[in-house]
Amino acid sequence: MATTVRPPAAGRGGPAAARGSAPGPGRRSAAVACALAAVLLGLTLLLRTRHLDAGLWVDEGIAAGVAAHALADIPGVLAQDGSPPLYYMLLNLWTRLFGTGEEALRALSVTAAAACVPASLAAGWLVAGWRAGVLAAALAATVPFLTVYAQETRMYALVVLLGVIAAAAFVRAFVQRRRRWVPAFALLLAALLLTHNWGLFLAAAAALALVPLLRAAHDDRLPRDALAAFGLAALAYAPWVPTLAGQVRATGAPWARPPTPRTAWGDVASLWGTAGWIVLLAGVGAGLLALRRRGTPGERAAVRSLVILAVATPAFALAASSVAAVWAPRYLAMALGPALLLGGVALARAPRIGVAAAGVLVALGVAAPPDVWPKSNAREVARAGAPLTAPGDLVVSTQPEQVPVLAYHLGHDLRYLTPLGPVADPGVTDWRHALARLRTGDARRRLRPALDALPAGTTVLLVTPVPWTGTEWADLVAARSAEWRLALDADPRLRPVRVAGAGPPRGAWSALRVRAYRRV
């Protein structure tokens, strides 16, 4: 068959050598590869466990709040949010074992990021030999994107892990024609679809990658295998589709800025940093040139498939962003898994340049890991306000999505109010028609009825964000914050109370301020 790649021969460090069926050289290659992977695993844990005790920020508060619901209730809760359920259900099970502290919540992401190292080693080895595996593992161990999201209670490290394995499964199933990988790819694609909505764009990219394979195939079973894989994934995803349809109609990302090609490229560049991309593209370019000169048709087909998976996924998302707000830099996690595998395979084709490029990338990742912590001062704000509150007191958050993280730190026995109205479930942000509701969330409509119902002696905490601009949502939040603060200051039934320890926010880019009042 024209697009088939045979496994690397025994004695060259391929899978046969890893199984122990080949003599010395293959076994030595396996031993060296595993030793390097162990070093890289230690390095990634050192890099990615520095800020596990930082206070949670907005997105992490939402994740913790959703996961705190009963396992069976999580899919229904997410009808208010916009995300698929798999990560939150895993986080629910994780917290039953390890607790709900900041470090315990983030440990799931650390585990997924650490698993990317051996997963990339195995994926690269299966696709193109042990050298490709080691180089892919080196990229996974130090890529700055994972250094950030390994330390955040969100699904992005898990997406990268599933993505790198899914990319390898695609190549094994449809390029190298190892048919037992067909159901594996179907399962992994379904998992990605149920972890993040950008899984739809990866699925579209995978379908696109199949087109040249189907045209060149001499195997009548390839179309049937492709149909079976996508059919099984669709079957597993089907129960979620009605909820997805409701999310599309009612929820969204009003905080997101529509990307331009220029800003989208800047977001892509942030995965490795400008210097890292220059080095990576130079190394990958050298590998692709070597592949074009000396590679077999099957090897070129494998690399072409990985290029399509890595490039078409964000390209489809960018195109969709012209219709709906579906773009955010962190969502590029869906393309990073295939990109890691592509990098390892391409760098391995030009050994000297590839090893040098990987060494520089590792050095860049170690020397200058992204330092974005703390992202929020919500924990400090909560600690300052907590001594003034008792069960039943009122917390007013003029940025609605801050409520889950405030409830995580302050507790669920307080009442919460936002310009969207009283919050029935502080563990989740109700994004359904949120922008329209925020437009009507003026103080007279939302705040005054709540103040009228307050009994004497009640404490009111007002939490407002440091203003930011760029979207209608941000501008409305800033306007409501100023309006509600003035209304509380002017209400004769409220007396200001000093909040000790709540100094001005410093460093955090999702920063909050707090004021306190006592109802008289």
Side-chain angles (χ1 to χ4, degrees), residues 278-320:
I278 292 172
V279 174
L280 181 64
L281 291 176
V284 168
L288 295 180
L289 183 61
L291 184 67
R292 182 177 181 183
R293 291 174 177 172
R294 300 186 297 273
T296 67
E299 290 169 337
R300 288 194 289 268
V303 169
R304 181 179 62 233
S305 296
L306 294 174
V307 169
I308 293 173
L309 291 174
V311 174
T313 297
F316 284 137
L318 183 61

Side-chain angles (χ1 to χ4, degrees), residues 228-423:
F230 282 85
L232 287 172
L235 187 63
Y237 187 58
W240 181 250
V241 171
T243 302
L244 174 67
Q247 291 173 332
V248 170
R249 289 192 301 267
T251 69
W255 41 264
R257 301 181 183 182
T260 65
R262 181 176 181 178
T263 59
W265 172 248
D267 293 338
V268 172
S270 69
L271 295 176
W272 262 286
T274 301
W277 269 109
I278 292 172
V279 174
L280 181 64
L281 291 176
V284 168
L288 295 180
L289 183 61
L291 184 67
R292 182 177 181 183
R293 291 174 177 172
R294 300 186 297 273
T296 67
E299 290 169 337
R300 288 194 289 268
V303 169
R304 181 179 62 233
S305 296
L306 294 174
V307 169
I308 293 173
L309 291 174
V311 174
T313 297
F316 284 137
L318 183 61
S321 296
S322 63
V323 178
V326 299
W327 182 277
R330 54 192 179 273
Y331 299 171
L332 289 163
M334 191 64 68
L336 183 56
L340 292 172
L341 183 54
L342 171 63
V345 172
L347 292 177
R349 294 299 302 178
R352 293 182 180 178
I353 296 176
V355 171
V360 172
L361 288 167
V362 168
L364 289 172
V366 171
D371 190 8
V372 295
W373 293 272
K375 289 187 173 184
S376 172
N377 64 332
R379 182 173 64 185
E380 288 66 36
V381 162
R383 286 175 175 173
L388 304 175
T389 62
D393 284 346
L394 180 64
V395 178
V396 176
S397 174
T398 56
Q399 184 181 355
E401 62 265 41
Q402 293 282 359
V403 168
V405 72
L406 293 172
Y408 173 84
H409 292 297
L410 285 168
H412 287 232
D413 55 356
L414 303 174
R415 291 179 292 162
Y416 292 87
L417 175 71
T418 79
L420 305 184
V423 179

Side-chain angles (χ1 to χ4, degrees), residues 215-229:
R215 287 178 177 174
H218 297 286
D219 183 353
D220 293 339
R221 296 175 298 181
L222 179 58
R224 286 180 294 177
D225 286 348
L227 185 61

Side-chain angles (χ1 to χ4, degrees), residues 24-41:
R27 292 181 179 177
R28 286 197 297 271
S29 296
V32 170
C34 292
L36 289 172
V39 172
L40 291 169
L41 184 59

Side-chain angles (χ1 to χ4, degrees), residues 114-184:
C116 285
V117 175
S120 297
L121 173 70
W125 198 327
L126 285 167
V127 168
W130 72 270
R131 185 179 287 108
V134 170
L135 293 173
L139 299 180
T142 54
V143 60
F145 180 93
L146 269 179
T147 300
V148 173
Y149 291 105
Q151 301 177 83
E152 186 164 303
T153 309
R154 295 295 284 172
M155 71 285 292
Y156 306 113
L158 177 62
V159 167
V160 176
L161 174 62
L162 293 173
V164 73
I165 305 172
F170 181 92
V171 173
R172 294 290 283 172
F174 302 118
V175 180
Q176 299 176 350
R177 296 303 289 134
R178 301 298 186 263
R179 298 188 70 206
R180 64 180 178 273
W181 284 87
V182 172

Side-chain angles (χ1 to χ4, degrees), residues 361-511:
L361 288 167
V362 168
L364 289 172
V366 171
D371 190 8
V372 295
W373 293 272
K375 289 187 173 184
S376 172
N377 64 332
R379 182 173 64 185
E380 288 66 36
V381 162
R383 286 175 175 173
L388 304 175
T389 62
D393 284 346
L394 180 64
V395 178
V396 176
S397 174
T398 56
Q399 184 181 355
E401 62 265 41
Q402 293 282 359
V403 168
V405 72
L406 293 172
Y408 173 84
H409 292 297
L410 285 168
H412 287 232
D413 55 356
L414 303 174
R415 291 179 292 162
Y416 292 87
L417 175 71
T418 79
L420 305 184
V423 179
D425 183 353
V428 61
T429 298
D430 187 353
W431 289 107
R432 292 173 294 185
H433 310 293
L435 188 58
R437 291 157 60 206
L438 187 59
R439 293 187 187 117
T440 62
D442 57 274
R444 181 184 297 274
R445 181 183 178 90
R446 303 289 191 199
L447 180 59
R448 288 188 183 178
L451 296 180
D452 292 343
L454 288 181
T458 301
T459 295
V460 178
L461 288 184
L462 171 65
V463 182
T464 57
V466 173
W468 79 105
T469 59
T471 64
E472 184 182 0
W473 179 264
D475 295 340
L476 280 171
V477 167
R480 294 293 176 230
S481 297
E483 174 194 1
W484 283 38
R485 183 173 62 249
L486 289 174
L488 287 166
D489 287 343
D491 195 308
R493 298 166 296 180
L494 299 177
R495 295 287 183 269
V497 178
R498 181 176 178 272
V499 182
R506 297 175 182 175
W509 54 266
S510 177

